[in-house]
């Protein structure tokens, strides 16, 4: 039996089932290592299996962070191959890191006053762009100052900083800009991400942190295979960053156009890439398509690309001026002078040529 309290750190050098008597409600880190492939399981006192997520992809290491309320639990530490024998090292440590819930306002004010500024988020909704937003109010009603890097997102080991985006050599670390309390970032996988908050000392009345998905739009091609059309993807003046998910259900040739009529005092990064899921590796892959700066000298940017069916992400970053930016997708067709019917879909794609009449 092991007594687990707010400061416990235990090393278990046996192959066994351990009773964990938790006396303090908080997060606990379980780190198990050995020379053979592991199988660890956590049960409540009714011996119901609890869901846990492994932070490490190494077969011989299990790294789990789990919030445990005051109660009794059972930890089964074993080899996946039960015929194996040897030493399994298990370390259990309490952590001040707090768990963030998806798509809701997480109240972190009490954590701030208890000097807790580290949080973790378990992404289970697939790769994609998400908005991270920190909202604070002061007791006296004065404006809140958000320093640059007040919000920082690190990887699953809390070691390296993640990126907001990384497309064709254009990239930026996952953190907020000065006086901006939110940003969009591409989460490239399911699993753990660590979020650190570093706000100036002040008498705050409220402080919440939220993680919400990007907006999305579907380009339905099935009923418009012989038509040219244009659709607005977004018209947005959000200060800082904005990203949107696009689903296209049929191959098409498109002009992607970005434009603004407003003055811009900085380089705004425009991006477009495709997301693909590799069923063999069980991971998401990113196919870069376009990245470019928009500024006062280049208020319109266009690129023509053939887009296959799938999920795409489009957006802008570093819009510190709050310029109103418009993004459109225009489907184009090729005129074939040898046919009495002019519509031939998607140049270069023979499998989408429509029926036509000969002279």
């Amino acid at each position: 039996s092991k007594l687990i309290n707010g400061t416990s750190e235990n090393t278990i050098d046996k192959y066994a089932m351990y009773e964990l008597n938790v006396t303090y409600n908080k997060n606990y880190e379980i780190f198990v290592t050995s020379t053979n492939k592991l199988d660890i399981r956590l049960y409540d006192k009714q011996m119901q299996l609890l869901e846990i997520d492994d932070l490490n992809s190494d077969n011989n290491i299990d790294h789990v962070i789990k919030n445990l309320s005051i109660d009794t639990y059972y930890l089964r530490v074993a080899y996946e191959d039960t015929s194996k024998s040897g030493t399994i090292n298990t370390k259990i440590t309490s952590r001040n890191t707090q768990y963030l819930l998806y798509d809701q306002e997480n109240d972190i004010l009490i954590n701030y006053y208890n000097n807790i500024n580290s949080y973790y988020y378990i992404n289970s909704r697939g790769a994609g762009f998400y908005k991270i937003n920190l909202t604070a109010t002061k007791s006296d009603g004065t404006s809140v100052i958000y320093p640059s890097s007040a919000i920082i997102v690190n990887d699953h080991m809390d070691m390296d900083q993640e990126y907001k985006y990384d497309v064709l050599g254009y990239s930026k670390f996952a953190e907020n800009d000065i006086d901006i309390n939110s940003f969009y970032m591409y989460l490239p996988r399911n699993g753990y991400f660590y979020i650190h908050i570093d706000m100036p000392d002040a008498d705050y009345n409220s402080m919440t942190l939220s993680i919400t998905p990007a907006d999305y739009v579907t380009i339905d091609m099935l009923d418009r295979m012989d038509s040219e059309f244009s659709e607005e993807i977004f018209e947005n003046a959000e200060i800082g960053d904005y990203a949107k998910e696009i689903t296209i259900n049929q191959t098409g040739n498109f002009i992607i156009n970005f434009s603004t009529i407003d003055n811009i005092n900085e380089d705004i990064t425009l991006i477009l890439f495709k997301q693909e899921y590799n069923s063999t590796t069980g991971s998401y892959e990113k196919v870069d398509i376009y990245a470019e700066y928009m500024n006062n000298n280049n208020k319109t940017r266009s690129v023509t690309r053939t887009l296959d069916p799938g999920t795409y992400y489009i957006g802008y970053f570093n819009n510190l001026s709050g310029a109103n930016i418009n993004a459109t997708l225009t489907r184009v067709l090729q005129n074939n002078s040898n046919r009495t019917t002019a519509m031939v879909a998607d140049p270069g794609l023979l499998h989408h040529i429509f029926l036509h009449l000969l002279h």
Side-chain angles (χ1 to χ4, degrees), residues 102-133:
Y102 169 79
D103 205 12
Q104 63 181 276
E105 299 293 331
N106 293 272
D107 189 347
I108 63 172
L109 184 63
I110 190 171
N111 298 332
Y112 167 80
Y113 285 122
N114 284 316
N115 296 315
I116 298 173
N117 62 3
S118 181
Y119 302 85
Y120 71 92
Y121 169 65
I122 305 174
N123 184 35
S124 60
R125 292 161 180 83
F129 266 103
Y130 294 83
K131 184 179 183 181
I132 298 176
N133 187 78

Side-chain angles (χ1 to χ4, degrees), residues 277-296:
Y277 181 74
N278 189 321
S279 58
T280 302
T281 62
S283 62
Y284 294 91
E285 298 176 352
K286 181 170 62 70
V287 180
D288 294 350
I289 296 174
Y290 177 75
E292 185 58 88
Y293 287 133
M294 169 186 281
N295 50 42
N296 237 20

Side-chain angles (χ1 to χ4, degrees), residues 184-224:
Y184 282 79
M185 71 168 292
Y186 182 71
L187 300 183
R189 63 185 182 279
N190 284 331
Y192 282 67
F193 295 85
Y194 285 84
I195 301 177
H196 297 274
I197 307 298
D198 185 12
M199 290 287 286
D201 292 336
D203 184 14
Y204 294 105
N205 183 58
S206 67
M207 189 179 294
T208 60
L209 187 65
S210 64
I211 302 171
T212 54
D215 297 331
Y216 66 91
V217 63
T218 298
I219 307 298
D220 189 354
M221 296 276 292
L222 297 182
D223 295 331
R224 299 183 290 179

Side-chain angles (χ1 to χ4, degrees), residues 162-200:
E162 293 280 349
Y163 288 93
K164 289 183 184 180
Y165 60 90
D166 185 7
V167 180
L168 296 174
Y170 294 75
S171 64
K172 192 171 185 180
F173 280 122
E175 58 190 42
N176 69 301
D177 293 307
I178 187 168
D179 290 334
I180 300 177
N181 68 324
S182 65
F183 58 88
Y184 282 79
M185 71 168 292
Y186 182 71
L187 300 183
R189 63 185 182 279
N190 284 331
Y192 282 67
F193 295 85
Y194 285 84
I195 301 177
H196 297 274
I197 307 298
D198 185 12
M199 290 287 286

Side-chain angles (χ1 to χ4, degrees), residues 78-311:
Y79 290 125
E80 187 172 270
D81 183 351
T82 55
S83 67
K84 299 288 185 180
S85 62
T87 299
I88 300 176
N89 297 299
T90 303
K91 182 178 179 180
I92 304 174
T93 308
S94 65
R95 290 186 63 117
N96 285 329
T97 305
Q98 303 295 306
Y99 176 48
L100 295 173
L101 298 174
Y102 169 79
D103 205 12
Q104 63 181 276
E105 299 293 331
N106 293 272
D107 189 347
I108 63 172
L109 184 63
I110 190 171
N111 298 332
Y112 167 80
Y113 285 122
N114 284 316
N115 296 315
I116 298 173
N117 62 3
S118 181
Y119 302 85
Y120 71 92
Y121 169 65
I122 305 174
N123 184 35
S124 60
R125 292 161 180 83
F129 266 103
Y130 294 83
K131 184 179 183 181
I132 298 176
N133 187 78
L134 175 65
T135 303
T137 61
K138 286 187 179 181
S139 298
D140 61 5
T142 57
S143 299
V144 174
I145 297 173
Y146 295 93
S148 59
S149 305
I151 316 167
I152 292 178
V153 182
N154 285 349
D155 65 6
H156 69 289
M157 296 297 287
D158 202 12
M159 296 284 289
D160 297 320
Q161 191 171 353
E162 293 280 349
Y163 288 93
K164 289 183 184 180
Y165 60 90
D166 185 7
V167 180
L168 296 174
Y170 294 75
S171 64
K172 192 171 185 180
F173 280 122
E175 58 190 42
N176 69 301
D177 293 307
I178 187 168
D179 290 334
I180 300 177
N181 68 324
S182 65
F183 58 88
Y184 282 79
M185 71 168 292
Y186 182 71
L187 300 183
R189 63 185 182 279
N190 284 331
Y192 282 67
F193 295 85
Y194 285 84
I195 301 177
H196 297 274
I197 307 298
D198 185 12
M199 290 287 286
D201 292 336
D203 184 14
Y204 294 105
N205 183 58
S206 67
M207 189 179 294
T208 60
L209 187 65
S210 64
I211 302 171
T212 54
D215 297 331
Y216 66 91
V217 63
T218 298
I219 307 298
D220 189 354
M221 296 276 292
L222 297 182
D223 295 331
R224 299 183 290 179
M225 285 304 301
D226 58 351
S227 302
E228 291 188 340
F229 60 85
S230 182
E231 289 200 12
E232 183 177 88
I233 303 303
F234 61 75
E235 183 177 2
N236 193 282
E238 189 162 342
I239 296 176
D241 312 327
Y242 182 74
K244 194 164 188 177
E245 177 183 310
I246 309 173
T247 300
I248 297 176
N249 59 12
Q250 190 70 31
T251 298
N253 203 51
F254 296 95
I255 299 172
I256 302 99
N257 186 76
F258 300 88
S259 63
T260 184
I261 61 172
D262 296 332
N263 286 326
I264 304 172
N265 299 319
E266 63 280 330
D267 287 335
I268 299 173
T269 306
L270 311 172
I271 65 164
L272 174 67
F273 64 86
K274 185 181 182 184
Q275 175 184 283
E276 294 183 350
Y277 181 74
N278 189 321
S279 58
T280 302
T281 62
S283 62
Y284 294 91
E285 298 176 352
K286 181 170 62 70
V287 180
D288 294 350
I289 296 174
Y290 177 75
E292 185 58 88
Y293 287 133
M294 169 186 281
N295 50 42
N296 237 20
N297 296 322
N298 298 282
K299 292 186 176 182
T300 299
R301 292 290 196 181
S302 293
V303 62
T304 302
R305 291 289 186 272
T306 297
L307 304 181
D308 295 323
T311 299

Side-chain angles (χ1 to χ4, degrees), residues 318-359:
N318 199 47
N319 182 18
L320 305 182
S321 302
N324 187 44
I325 300 176
N326 179 264
T328 59
L329 204 66
T330 300
R331 196 284 182 88
V332 294
L333 297 172
Q334 181 176 344
N335 187 341
N336 189 332
S337 60
N338 295 324
R339 311 302 183 200
T340 54
T341 54
M343 306 302 261
V344 178
D346 307 321
L349 301 177
L350 296 179
H351 56 287
H352 287 135
I353 293 178
F354 284 86
L355 293 176
H356 51 266
L357 298 175
L358 297 175
H359 279 296

